[in-house]
Amino acid sequence: MSIEQTHTALEQLLTGPSGLVDVDEYNKLELKLLSIDHDSATNSVTLEHCLMDTLYIRTMHAKAGTIIVGATCKVDSTVHVTKGALVVWYPEQESSVAAEGDYIVSPAGTRRIGYVLEDCTWVNVYAKQGQTVEENEDNLFVDSKLLINRRNK
């Protein structure tokens, strides 16, 4: 299946009659994606972490065709797409495409599913919440054990 065909299939699966993402379908897809073998996802996604005096910077690189289930963030956050493009679905909202140069602003409690349309890089910058990557992840994300860098450990 091509990237465009997969995008169309996901859009049809997730979008209800109102044009908004159907929460039940979103939840079903999220559970399905989290239950599959993650070796291929781990190979399609790489992470870089940078801990500074007051900042934790998390950079993710993903190959075209990768589906990402985002962790629920405990704080307001901003994602800056620095390369490529991806489509993003939020429960009870319309999907949107984020491309190089775009910012995605999310209030605390936001969950997302993303589908990478072109090889993509995005950057999250947070106020530092600990001394290690794991401490920052635990303090920033509700479901930090589901983060891609922890699933196969």
Side-chain angles (χ1 to χ4, degrees):
M1 191 180 293
S2 73
I3 288 174
E4 287 104 12
Q5 290 170 322
T6 303
H7 174 209
T8 301
L10 286 168
E11 192 73 38
Q12 289 171 346
L13 173 71
L14 289 170
T15 305
S18 65
L20 302 179
V21 172
D22 180 276
V23 174
D24 291 334
E25 292 302 326
Y26 180 98
N27 289 335
K28 285 182 208 172
L29 179 61
E30 181 179 51
L31 288 172
K32 180 68 175 168
L33 291 170
L34 290 172
S35 71
I36 61 175
D37 176 22
H38 295 286
D39 286 340
S40 60
T42 303
N43 293 331
S44 299
V45 177
T46 57
L47 287 167
E48 297 171 25
H49 305 275
C50 179
L51 291 169
M52 301 174 72
D53 286 341
T54 60
L55 299 175
Y56 167 50
I57 302 169
R58 183 180 173 87
T59 303
M60 185 177 273
H61 308 277
K63 296 177 183 175
T66 303
I67 299 174
I68 306 289
V69 176
T72 304
C73 197
K74 295 178 184 178
V75 300
D76 295 346
S77 64
T78 302
V79 176
H80 181 205
V81 180
T82 60
K83 174 186 169 190
L86 70 157
V87 62
V88 182
W89 292 275
Y90 301 87
E92 299 182 333
Q93 296 183 30
E94 292 183 6
S95 66
S96 61
V97 174
E100 185 172 326
D102 288 345
Y103 288 87
I104 303 169
V105 178
S106 303
T110 299
R111 295 184 310 158
R112 301 184 276 265
I113 293 176
Y115 180 65
V116 180
L117 301 170
E118 302 170 6
D119 288 358
C120 193
T121 299
W122 61 95
V123 180
N124 298 82
V125 179
Y126 303 99
K128 192 172 171 187
Q129 303 285 320
Q131 297 304 309
T132 67
V133 169
E134 291 77 17
E135 286 175 359
N136 278 277
E137 290 174 340
D138 289 342
N139 291 323
L140 288 167
F141 301 106
V142 172
D143 40 8
S144 60
K145 68 185 178 303
L146 299 178
L147 294 169
I148 196 159
N149 55 312
R150 294 191 179 185
R151 286 188 209 146
N152 289 329
K153 288 186 177 181

